[in-house]
């Protein structure tokens, strides 16, 4: 009997490259356009009013809304929006010191947990008051209050949510995530926020870790550092929240009349269970590890600037990919009640975050 042939790693790599090349190439084109527009702003006005990070999201979203790419573009766009984005977040860890968060004291850590709990309760209450059923109200609450798509993906199988609920929640997370990134910096002059205060606000309100970069980069480097670390603490709240849902969601799972949704190829989480990688993604652990190395002085000083530049370019590429995955028209199909629930929940979260900043006296 002939032994089975081993898969040729070079053939596998070549096949994977061919799959992602069209879509990833499109992300590169959008990135180049964003960098070009940023340079043109600097030449014409003396400074860039819109950073390349923001321009990449805007250009990608506009292109995706006006044109639906052929199927062959999707793998490369997904690669840019997920893998490249995760690598960028990991590299960002080299520019951060964990002492920045620790210097804020334990009050901020307790406050983050309190804001998440309050936001979940308020979002759920708003959703139920508007007539959303339990499962959809929970998904909207978790997505808004913790970390967008990741929280929705983690909570959905636990509570037995169906595909329609997940699709509605994620559609708003995608579109509103972009709007929050673009609109949040406007609150700096409106409320007279310092870079430290704005970093805390961004970390508590922006949906995804990489989107914190786009929301804080135009303000200050300190805002980027504080915002990212606060956001990571907020993400870590996902574990306790999902555990609490699993303990109290048996009635909701019994009400569900469809299987738990299919999130990724080849993966179907069991109803009532959640994959561990949804709770603590690998890139968050790697980010914390790299930040720890930086804090311990184990990363050479000469390497910090190149790492930061690579992280910046990869982040712009991932923002272009995220924009290319957002079709603004998808929100229309979700209905007005979900629209009002998500927006009202976001306003409540922003209000609670500003209240925490004032309460703790963060300067």
């Amino acid at each position: 009997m002939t032994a089975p042939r081993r898969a040729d790693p070079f053939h596998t790599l070549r096949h994977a490259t061919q799959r992602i090349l069209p879509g990833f190439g499109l992300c590169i084109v959008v990135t180049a356009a964003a960098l070009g527009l940023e340079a043109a702003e600097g030449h014409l006005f003396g400074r860039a009013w819109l950073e390349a990070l923001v321009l990449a999201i805007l250009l990608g979203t506009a292109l995706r809304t006006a044109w639906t790419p052929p199927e062959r573009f999707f793998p490369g766009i997904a690669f840019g929006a997920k893998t490249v984005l995760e690598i960028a977040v990991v590299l960002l860890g080299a520019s951060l010191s964990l002492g920045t968060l620790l210097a804020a004291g334990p009050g901020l850590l307790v406050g983050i947990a309190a804001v998440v709990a309050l936001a979940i309760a308020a979002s759920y209450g708003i959703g139920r008051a508007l007539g959303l059923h339990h499962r959809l109200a929970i998904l909207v609450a978790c997505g808004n209050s913790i970390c967008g798509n990741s929280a929705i993906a983690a909570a959905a199988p636990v509570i037995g949510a169906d595909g329609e609920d997940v699709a509605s929640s994620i559609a708003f997370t995608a579109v509103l995530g972009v709007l929050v990134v673009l609109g949040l910096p406007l609150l700096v002059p409106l409320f007279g926020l310092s870079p430290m205060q704005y970093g805390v606000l961004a970390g508590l309100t922006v949906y995804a870790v990489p989107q914190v970069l786009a929301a804080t980069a135009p303000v200050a480097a300190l805002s980027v550092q504080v915002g990212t670390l606060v956001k990571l603490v907020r993400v870590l709240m996902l574990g306790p929240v999902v555990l609490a849902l699993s303990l109290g969601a048996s009635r909701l799972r019994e009400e569900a009349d469809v299987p738990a949704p299919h999130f990724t190829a080849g993966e179907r989480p069991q109803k009532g269970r959640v994959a561990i990688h949804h709770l603590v993604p690998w890139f968050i652990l790697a980010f914390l590890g790299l930040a720890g190395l930086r804090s311990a002085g184990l990363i050479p000083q000469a390497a910090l600037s190149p790492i930061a530049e690579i992280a910046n370019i990869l982040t712009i590429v991932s923002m272009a990919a995220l924009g290319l995955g957002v079709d603004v028209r998808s929100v229309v199909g979700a209905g007005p009640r979900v629209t009002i629930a998500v927006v009202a929940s976001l306003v409540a979260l922003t209000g609670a975050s500003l209240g925490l900043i004032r309460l703790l006296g963060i300067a």
Side-chain angles (χ1 to χ4, degrees):
M1 183 175 178
T2 306
R5 287 184 60 184
R6 279 184 160 184
D8 181 359
F10 294 103
H11 174 74
T12 303
L13 178 61
R14 183 167 59 251
H15 176 69
T17 302
Q18 290 172 346
R19 285 186 70 246
I20 69 172
L21 194 56
F24 191 63
L26 181 60
C27 297
I28 298 297
V29 170
V30 174
T31 299
L35 290 170
L37 286 175
E38 182 186 55
E41 285 184 271
H43 179 72
L44 292 173
F45 307 113
R47 60 162 292 185
W49 293 97
L50 289 178
E51 304 282 337
L53 285 166
V54 177
L55 289 168
I57 296 176
L58 288 174
L59 290 174
T61 302
L63 181 59
R64 175 65 180 87
T65 301
W67 169 67
T68 301
E71 189 72 26
R72 69 178 185 276
F73 284 87
F74 293 158
I77 293 173
F79 175 79
K82 178 173 170 56
T83 305
V84 172
L85 175 150
E86 292 171 350
I87 294 172
V89 172
V90 171
L91 293 178
L92 180 67
S95 65
L96 302 179
S97 172
L98 297 178
T100 305
L101 182 63
L102 297 177
L108 178 58
L109 300 179
V110 174
I112 293 171
V115 166
V116 169
L118 179 63
I120 289 176
S123 297
Y124 178 77
I126 291 169
R128 293 294 294 151
L130 289 168
L132 303 186
H133 62 76
H134 291 286
R135 292 187 297 278
L136 181 55
I138 290 173
L139 291 183
V140 168
C142 290
N144 263 4
S145 307
I146 306 175
C147 52
N149 289 357
S150 298
I152 292 169
V158 173
I159 64 175
D162 59 31
E164 184 178 346
D165 292 340
V166 174
S168 296
S169 305
I170 287 181
F172 276 99
T173 297
V175 175
L176 280 183
V178 172
L179 295 179
V180 170
V181 166
L182 298 176
L184 201 64
L186 300 178
L187 298 184
V188 174
L190 184 63
F191 292 102
L193 300 175
S194 69
M196 177 75 171
Q197 291 172 331
Y198 179 70
V200 174
L201 176 64
L204 285 170
T205 54
V206 175
Y207 289 145
V209 176
Q211 290 175 344
V212 173
L213 306 184
T216 54
V219 177
L222 178 60
S223 299
V224 175
Q225 295 181 17
V226 174
T228 303
L229 289 170
V230 169
K231 175 60 185 173
L232 287 174
V233 174
R234 184 173 155 216
V235 169
L236 294 177
M237 288 293 295
L238 181 58
V241 168
V242 171
L243 177 60
L245 287 176
S246 67
L247 295 176
S250 58
R251 183 172 60 86
L252 292 175
R253 293 197 297 269
E254 290 170 0
E255 290 176 1
D257 55 2
V258 293
H262 181 105
F263 295 111
T264 58
E267 176 189 15
R268 178 179 292 276
Q270 294 181 1
K271 193 177 296 185
R273 298 181 183 273
V274 61
I276 186 65
H277 66 270
H278 285 317
L279 300 182
V280 186
W282 73 269
F283 67 91
I284 290 182
L285 297 177
F287 170 92
L288 293 173
L290 206 56
L293 292 176
R294 166 66 193 279
S295 300
L298 298 178
I299 298 178
Q301 192 69 28
L304 296 179
S305 180
I307 291 175
E309 186 61 31
I310 293 171
N312 181 56
I313 295 298
L314 292 181
T315 302
I316 298 173
V317 173
S318 67
M319 291 300 108
L322 287 173
L324 287 168
V326 174
D327 185 350
V328 177
R329 296 168 298 183
S330 63
V331 175
V332 177
R337 288 186 302 175
V338 182
T339 304
I340 297 171
V342 175
V343 173
S345 299
L346 183 58
V347 171
L349 175 60
T350 303
S353 302
L354 289 171
L356 176 66
I357 291 170
R358 302 302 184 194
L359 179 64
L360 295 179
I362 297 173

